[in-house]
Amino acid sequence: MLAKTRHFLDIDRFTRDELRALLDRAHEMKAATKSGQAGAPLAGKVLAMIFEKPSTRTRFSFEVGMVQLGGHAINVTADMMQLGRGETVADTARVLSRYVDAVMIRTFDEEVLFEFAKHGSVPVINGLTDQSHPCQIMADIMTVEEHRGAIEKKVVAWVGDANNVCRSWMHAAARFGFELRVAAPTPLQLTDRDLEWARTEGGHIWQGEAPHAAVEGADVVVTDCFVSMGQKDQPSRHNLLRPYQVDERLMARAKPNAIFMHCLPAHRGEEVSAAVIDGPRSVVFDEAENRLHAQKAILALCMGA
């Protein structure tokens, strides 16, 4: 399915059918791993992992995923490479393409990701940029489907900063046919350009400032940290986002069987109350585990296995 598009750069670059095939593969791989019948389709393959941003889940899930698929991963930070000392992204991409079978990049500016993909000759995977987080959303949709069935026609409520994760939820809404409601303070909302893309692609997106309006009758409630890595003006952001905490009162507005999601790390008492994230409706640790399985599917498909 991904043979014509080796890279996994963003959800909006794939069709619904391609993404559906990827999710189906992720579900199959998880089941095979649990039953001890996973196999080793990436035996002899090597993944380079480049981190400009710190990571827990991205690093461990990709590295463990490669091991479970029979391959190997090499982890480096930008300051451990000549990339951190002035070598161009293009030259680094050309060199690594002679050594490894794929590259995963977790960076700030998505242009670094795109330049790597342009000049390298191996698949490049988006491990996160300031603009999007597609691997996370594939794992999130996998989690929704495990707990609530097919995501099509579901209502997903996003509460808080409409950040890179929210933008990838928007891409997914247009591809998978669910409704995304975004509640965020005006300065932190999806842009007009984002919403225009969604309209053009047939996405059903609602955006406003009221958390209760977004969450009312929702199947899934999602939030993220008030302040992400590298962001400035922390006191100002906290003041803007304080009314957007997901607590038991807000969750009560969602459907009785609604689930709560958060990509982690979480800050209890800020974007979410302890009662919600540690409560029975929270699936955050299933969500974290599914990063492993969704990314194994991405790795296998990108490398033709």
Side-chain angles (χ1 to χ4, degrees):
M1 292 296 174
L2 300 184
K4 296 180 181 178
T5 312
R6 294 182 306 166
H7 308 301
F8 188 77
L9 302 179
D10 252 330
I11 289 172
D12 62 343
R13 294 178 176 230
F14 294 92
T15 66
R16 177 194 184 103
D17 288 346
E18 288 171 330
L19 294 168
R20 182 70 261 166
L22 194 154
L23 277 176
D24 290 346
R25 185 81 185 275
H27 286 297
E28 291 167 5
M29 284 184 150
K30 183 173 182 178
T33 298
K34 300 292 185 183
S35 66
Q37 300 176 345
L42 296 186
K45 302 289 187 180
V46 178
L47 172 72
M49 305 189 300
I50 301 173
F51 290 91
E52 288 188 335
K53 289 187 174 188
S55 169
T56 298
R57 279 149 292 277
T58 298
R59 178 184 175 179
F60 278 87
S61 56
F62 269 108
E63 188 160 353
V64 172
M66 281 299 292
V67 171
Q68 289 186 357
L69 294 172
H72 181 70
I74 299 172
N75 169 60
V76 291
T77 58
D79 60 3
M80 294 169 63
M81 306 168 61
Q82 294 299 328
L83 185 62
R85 306 175 74 177
E87 185 171 33
T88 67
V89 172
D91 284 353
T92 303
R94 293 184 183 106
V95 170
L96 288 187
S97 295
R98 304 296 183 100
Y99 298 153
V100 304
D101 300 285
V103 177
M104 185 284 297
I105 305 174
R106 183 177 173 93
T107 186
F108 293 90
D109 187 351
E110 67 180 3
E111 290 306 317
V112 172
L113 177 81
F114 298 153
E115 192 169 357
F116 234 99
K118 177 181 178 181
H119 294 285
S121 57
V122 297
V124 175
I125 298 170
N126 179 355
L128 174 141
T129 71
D130 284 349
Q131 288 71 41
S132 65
H133 199 356
C135 290
Q136 178 67 56
I137 270 50
M138 297 307 291
D140 289 355
I141 293 174
M142 184 179 177
T143 307
V144 172
E145 294 187 340
E146 287 178 340
H147 287 269
R148 294 293 176 264
I151 196 165
E152 286 80 5
K153 299 184 180 179
K154 294 285 193 298
V155 175
V156 176
W158 176 277
V159 181
D161 179 12
N163 59 13
N164 53 351
V165 183
C166 181
R167 191 170 293 108
S168 287
W169 269 109
M170 179 194 73
H171 293 156
R175 291 293 180 262
F176 286 98
F178 61 88
E179 179 183 352
L180 177 66
R181 301 178 190 164
V182 178
T186 298
L188 302 178
Q189 290 183 351
L190 293 169
T191 67
D192 291 341
R193 182 179 178 182
D194 291 329
L195 296 175
E196 179 57 30
W197 177 89
R199 281 191 292 269
T200 301
E201 296 293 322
H204 189 182
I205 313 295
W206 174 94
Q207 181 166 249
E209 288 195 311
H212 65 273
V215 172
E216 194 71 44
D219 298 282
V220 183
V221 179
V222 194
T223 192
D224 199 357
C225 302
F226 283 174
V227 180
S228 297
M229 284 177 288
Q231 289 179 328
K232 300 179 181 179
D233 302 322
Q234 294 190 23
S236 175
R237 292 178 64 84
H238 276 93
N239 289 337
L240 271 174
L241 290 164
R242 191 170 292 116
Y244 291 84
Q245 182 186 101
V246 179
D247 56 17
E248 290 175 290
R249 190 172 169 183
L250 186 63
M251 279 297 296
R253 290 181 170 270
K255 286 183 179 176
N257 67 344
I259 56 175
F260 171 77
M261 304 183 75
H262 189 307
C263 66
L264 303 177
H267 301 87
R268 290 163 175 80
E270 291 187 11
E271 72 271 11
V272 59
S273 68
V276 169
I277 195 169
D278 298 321
R281 303 170 82 176
S282 174
V283 297
V284 299
F285 297 110
D286 292 343
E287 182 183 0
E289 178 189 346
N290 283 337
R291 287 288 301 278
L292 171 64
H293 306 296
Q295 287 161 191
K296 284 194 295 188
I298 291 167
L299 288 164
L301 289 170
C302 282
M303 287 189 259

